[in-house]
Amino acid sequence: MNSFLHALDVLVSLTRAISRHAARLMGLLLLAVVVFIGAEILMRQLFNHPLPGVHEYAGYVLAMLSAWGLSHTLMERAHIRIDVVHGKLPAFSRHTLDILAMLALNLVAWVILINAWPVLGKSLSNGSTANTPLATPLWIPQLLWLSGYAWFAITTSVLGLRILVAACLRDTTTLETLAGPDHGESEGALAQAASTTKETR
């Protein structure tokens, strides 16, 4: 059982690391978009010659950012939560709500992914291109956009599995660390919770 828990914790840590690196990459892309938009404004004002495709690719980056940012936000528990009532409930009720919220989020993530796939499939089958001078094949940004939602679905599944195992083992520390509201715990809270659970067993 300990080896299974260790494997799950490693999987959660790996998911967190990939989500963090993806978020950093999206941040760099967003920064590049800002630079190119600034350059495009200067080119238009000074030389009356705008850079082609800046606004088109800015839209693609924002779409990818919205999809890929979900996993990192989830792992860092940075989503907006209204926890006024949550904090006043008994521990069992709080944990039950946290588990239900994660399972519901997992369901939503997979529903989004399943419904987003036909968008990419249609573009591939029709050979669709953007209605712009660059005529970008739409499957390229859509694939990157869909990959973000796919990773979000995987992330919610990994986190949901770890939370269910923690609930079955009555490991409230791990449950609160992964699914509860963020009260400013350090990043190593999960590792500390895992080591504490191992010592108690």
Side-chain angles (χ1 to χ4, degrees):
M1 188 63 179
N2 286 335
S3 59
F4 176 68
L5 286 177
H6 176 70
L8 273 181
D9 290 334
V10 169
L11 186 59
V12 170
S13 299
L14 179 62
T15 304
R16 185 189 304 275
I18 294 174
S19 300
R20 182 188 300 115
H21 289 304
R24 288 175 178 172
L25 178 59
M26 290 298 110
L28 291 175
L29 288 176
L30 185 61
L31 181 61
V33 165
V34 172
V35 171
F36 279 114
I37 289 177
E40 197 266 345
I41 293 173
L42 289 177
M43 290 285 290
R44 188 190 309 137
Q45 294 295 326
L46 298 178
F47 305 104
N48 197 26
H49 182 70
L51 294 175
V54 172
H55 296 289
E56 177 184 350
Y57 287 105
Y60 297 151
V61 169
L62 289 177
M64 290 186 292
L65 178 66
S66 66
W68 279 97
L70 291 171
S71 299
H72 179 64
T73 306
L74 174 64
M75 296 302 295
E76 299 302 323
R77 293 183 295 167
H79 287 117
I80 296 174
R81 294 183 60 160
I82 310 234
D83 56 357
V84 176
V85 176
H86 181 279
K88 297 179 180 180
L89 294 174
F92 178 79
S93 299
R94 292 199 311 270
H95 298 155
T96 301
L97 287 177
D98 290 337
I99 294 170
L100 290 175
M102 180 55 63
L103 294 179
L105 185 60
N106 181 246
L107 176 62
V108 169
W110 283 103
V111 169
I112 292 174
L113 177 60
I114 291 171
N115 285 276
W117 168 252
V119 177
L120 174 61
K122 187 175 181 180
S123 295
L124 287 171
S125 61
N126 295 338
S128 303
T129 58
N131 188 21
T132 61
L134 296 180
T136 305
L138 287 179
W139 70 267
I140 298 175
Q142 287 175 355
L143 177 61
L144 297 173
W145 165 75
L146 184 66
S147 299
Y149 283 121
W151 181 247
F152 181 52
I154 293 172
T155 301
T156 57
S157 297
V158 170
L159 208 56
L161 177 60
R162 184 62 183 92
I163 288 169
L164 286 176
V165 171
C168 291
L169 296 177
R170 297 183 180 180
D171 183 3
T172 58
T173 304
T174 300
L175 184 59
E176 292 175 356
T177 301
L178 292 177
D182 183 15
H183 297 299
E185 296 95 332
S186 64
E187 187 177 324
L190 176 60
Q192 182 178 358
S195 62
T196 303
T197 302
K198 185 176 180 180
E199 289 175 1
T200 57
R201 294 181 181 281

